[in-house]
Amino acid sequence: MIHSRGNELTSPVNVLLIEDDRGDAELIRLQLQTEETDGYHVCHCDSLASAAQRTEAGFSPDVVLLDLNLPDSSGPSTVNKCRILTDAPIVVLTGQDDISSIKKAIDDGAEDYLTKGCESSSLLRAIRYAILRKRRDADTHLSATVFSHTHEGIVITSPDGTILNVNEAFYRITGYQHEEVIGKNPRLMKSGKHEQTFYSHMWQSLVTNGHWSGEIWNKRKNGDIYPELLTISAVKDSNGNLRHYVALFIDITERKQAEQELLETNWHLHEATTRANDMAVQAEIASA
């Protein structure tokens, strides 16, 4: 499987070339097997059926170069049929500028298209961009899934503290709907249980270290005061400029209640032990 470092492809790239014209296929193979592009492994198939056999046999492509007109498929629908074989990004190969077919192929999920006989630089650029774009889309989807389904409340703010986004868990914990907090400052949830110095130390830590973590009391929309375990982190760009703050928190009401119950149980146990010891001493004195 291919890996990346930043925007660089660092492992050999498996290319599934589905092209029934042997001359065009050989040209592409030569373009991808020069000294400058030594990291490309080309698997050539002349039909979708042949490609299916290769993928079923274990070939895992990082990108597909797909001719739309094959012996067993013709037109933009070839993209959908190819997608059944692999989820690798697809770059369409076309011999003519049929804009409507190209548009339909892109709409059906192709990442890009190439005109047959294009220069090596265009071919390499299309492959690279298709792989990186597909990976970014996958990362974005994963991030969105985690953001939506985590049990932790998440708040994303601008550098000045304006709320830009919150997740579903934020609503479940605080009672505030998305539209009620966007554009607002998190101080609308202040409980009033902390001195100003508490918040001053928090922001000083964020400015100095880019991070703060601890317990805090906040207020739900219905007015209930509850304890949170909160972590805030600064997010900076590649130049070190502050872009966002991301806060993750969980409601620790039950944990606090359990701690209180444990303290009360230990106190009662201590009281009972003390009374038992006193009674034992008194009994010993009485029997002397």
Side-chain angles (χ1 to χ4, degrees):
M1 180 59 68
I2 189 171
H3 301 284
S4 68
R5 182 177 61 248
N7 286 332
E8 297 301 321
L9 308 183
T10 58
S11 296
V13 179
N14 287 333
V15 179
L16 178 59
L17 172 59
I18 310 178
E19 166 63 70
D20 64 332
D21 187 302
R22 293 188 176 278
D24 289 337
E26 185 60 24
L27 174 61
I28 291 172
R29 186 191 295 275
L30 291 174
Q31 288 177 310
L32 293 178
Q33 292 184 339
T34 63
E35 291 183 4
E36 292 78 12
T37 58
D38 192 42
Y40 289 81
H41 173 217
V42 181
C43 174
H44 173 225
C45 300
D46 58 9
S47 66
L48 287 176
S50 175
Q53 292 176 354
R54 295 302 299 269
T55 56
E56 289 171 2
F59 182 76
S60 179
D62 297 304
V63 65
V64 179
L65 300 180
L66 176 67
D67 185 4
L68 291 182
N69 297 308
L70 299 167
D72 49 0
S73 181
S74 180
S77 62
T78 305
V79 172
N80 286 327
K81 296 175 183 177
C82 182
R83 178 61 63 216
I84 298 173
L85 307 181
T86 176
D87 62 356
I90 297 172
V91 176
V92 165
L93 302 174
T94 177
Q96 54 186 351
D97 290 331
D98 183 351
I99 300 301
S100 61
S101 293
I102 292 171
K103 182 178 183 302
K104 181 63 168 59
I106 297 296
D107 289 344
D108 285 348
E111 295 290 333
D112 204 345
Y113 77 95
L114 287 170
T115 301
K116 292 183 179 181
C118 66
E119 296 182 353
S120 295
S121 59
S122 297
L123 174 63
L124 297 175
R125 183 169 57 251
I127 291 175
R128 180 172 177 271
Y129 285 177
I131 294 173
L132 293 176
R133 189 182 303 116
K134 185 77 172 181
R135 184 178 296 117
R136 283 194 295 268
D137 290 345
D139 290 344
T140 299
H141 176 72
L142 176 60
S143 298
T145 300
V146 172
F147 187 81
S148 299
H149 293 85
T150 181
H151 294 296
E152 294 181 306
I154 302 177
V155 182
I156 300 175
T157 77
S158 62
D160 66 1
T162 301
I163 297 176
L164 303 176
N165 202 2
V166 297
N167 68 342
E168 181 66 22
F170 174 90
Y171 162 71
R172 292 197 301 269
I173 295 172
T174 70
Y176 284 100
Q177 296 283 359
H178 183 274
E179 61 273 10
E180 293 177 308
V181 296
I182 300 303
K184 304 292 181 59
N185 190 284
R187 69 172 63 95
L188 89 164
M189 293 176 288
K190 287 178 66 172
S191 65
K193 290 177 68 75
H194 300 287
E195 299 290 339
Q196 183 56 41
T197 53
F198 174 87
Y199 298 102
S200 297
H201 290 154
M202 174 192 294
W203 288 109
Q204 183 60 44
S205 177
L206 284 171
V207 171
T208 304
N209 306 316
H211 180 82
W212 182 88
S213 182
E215 293 184 8
I216 185 173
W217 291 88
N218 268 338
K219 182 171 63 176
R220 306 186 207 274
K221 181 182 177 181
N222 64 7
D224 290 346
I225 306 299
Y226 71 101
E228 285 181 1
L229 184 60
L230 172 66
T231 297
I232 307 175
S233 299
V235 179
K236 299 181 179 181
D237 61 21
S238 58
N239 295 319
N241 300 313
L242 179 63
R243 299 300 302 274
H244 304 100
Y245 287 111
V246 177
L248 290 82
F249 65 94
I250 57 173
D251 182 345
I252 56 173
T253 299
E254 293 184 358
R255 192 182 82 180
K256 285 291 187 181
Q257 290 174 344
E259 290 175 353
Q260 183 61 35
E261 291 173 359
L262 180 60
L263 287 173
E264 292 177 358
T265 298
N266 288 339
W267 182 83
H268 289 307
L269 180 60
H270 173 74
E271 287 293 300
T273 301
T274 300
R275 286 196 300 270
N277 289 336
D278 289 343
M279 292 174 63
V281 170
Q282 293 172 8
E284 184 176 347
I285 292 174
S287 62

